[in-house]
């Protein structure tokens, strides 16, 4: 397997991002707390092996906050996600951000484990918020491990 390279996104990545979002995430926009995000228009970090994307993260900067909008690693448990997150931390610090934060769902136990073992803390829970999100966009009722998707969980890492 070719070496994995980590790089920031460029405008040329937009079309490929939109296709991947459609294939793996049901398309754009992504709805986070009733706000629409278009990852194909956001800045991000891509992990690439040859021409193949093996992971990516797209984020939104607002003031001194950096919000992770979508983070996907296709080859898990190889350190790819950790390296992508480390690159985001460097970007956020260079942009004078004070924290990185994100929202995930109550069923996403793998993400909760990943972030908490890397210093993130739960900073909010929005009970039954998926009822509102489903009025905006079609979202599955059942998620990972057969767990009903109901709540949004906020995590943050202070820089």
């Amino acid at each position: 397997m070719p070496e994995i390279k980590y790089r920031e996104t460029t405008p040329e990545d937009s079309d490929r991002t939109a296709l991947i979002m459609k294939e793996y995430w049901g398309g754009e926009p992504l709805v986070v707390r009733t706000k629409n995000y278009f990852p194909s228009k956001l800045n991000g970090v891509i992990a690439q092996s040859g021409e193949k994307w093996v992971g990516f993260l797209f984020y939104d900067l607002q003031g001194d906050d950096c919000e992770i909008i979508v983070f996907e690693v296709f080859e898990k448990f190889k350190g790819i996600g950790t390296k992508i997150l480390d690159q985001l931390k460097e970007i956020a610090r260079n942009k004078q951000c004070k924290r990185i934060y994100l929202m995930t769902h109550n069923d996403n136990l793998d993400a909760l484990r990943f972030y908490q073992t890397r210093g993130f803390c739960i900073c909010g829970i929005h009970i039954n918020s998926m009822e509102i999100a489903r009025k905006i966009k079609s979202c599955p009722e059942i998620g990972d491990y057969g767990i009903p998707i109901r709540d949004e969980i906020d995590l943050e890492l202070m820089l």
Side-chain angles (χ1 to χ4, degrees):
M1 170 153 75
E3 176 187 359
I4 297 173
K5 297 188 180 193
Y6 300 84
R7 65 175 179 83
E8 292 186 49
T9 56
T10 66
E12 290 76 32
D13 295 317
S14 181
D15 289 344
R16 188 171 184 179
T17 300
L19 287 172
I20 288 173
M21 294 311 301
K22 185 175 183 180
E23 183 176 349
Y24 292 96
W25 287 79
E28 296 180 300
L30 293 182
V31 180
V32 179
R33 281 182 299 284
T34 71
K35 184 175 179 186
N36 292 334
Y37 288 94
F38 294 83
S40 62
K41 296 178 177 19
L42 295 174
N43 291 320
V45 176
I46 295 170
Q48 193 167 338
S49 177
E51 292 300 312
K52 181 182 176 185
W53 287 11
V54 294
F56 60 81
L57 181 154
F58 292 94
Y59 62 91
D60 186 39
L61 297 175
Q62 297 177 10
D64 56 6
D65 283 340
C66 176
E67 182 176 13
I68 297 173
I69 303 302
V70 61
F71 189 1
E72 183 70 60
V73 176
F74 300 109
E75 298 182 17
K76 298 191 185 324
F77 308 109
K78 295 183 178 182
I80 296 168
T82 299
K83 288 181 182 173
I84 292 172
L85 184 59
D86 287 345
Q87 190 156 355
L88 177 66
K89 288 178 191 175
E90 184 178 325
I91 292 166
R93 285 187 183 106
N94 289 338
K95 300 282 186 182
Q96 312 301 308
C97 292
K98 292 190 169 123
R99 76 175 180 145
I100 298 173
Y101 73 102
L102 66 118
M103 179 281 298
T104 191
H105 298 114
N106 62 287
D107 72 305
N108 199 345
L109 304 180
D110 293 334
L112 290 166
R113 178 199 52 80
F114 175 83
Y115 289 113
Q116 290 180 88
T117 58
R118 284 156 185 83
F120 283 74
C121 297
I122 293 172
C123 61
I125 300 174
H126 307 273
I127 305 297
N128 291 322
S129 60
M130 289 306 295
E131 290 176 18
I132 297 167
R134 286 188 184 95
K135 292 176 184 174
I136 298 169
K137 184 178 178 181
S138 175
C139 302
E141 297 277 337
I142 304 296
D144 295 344
Y145 307 105
I147 298 171
I149 303 172
R150 295 182 301 259
D151 313 316
E152 293 175 326
I153 299 173
D154 296 329
L155 296 114
E156 69 180 0
L157 174 70
M158 303 309 289
L159 298 174

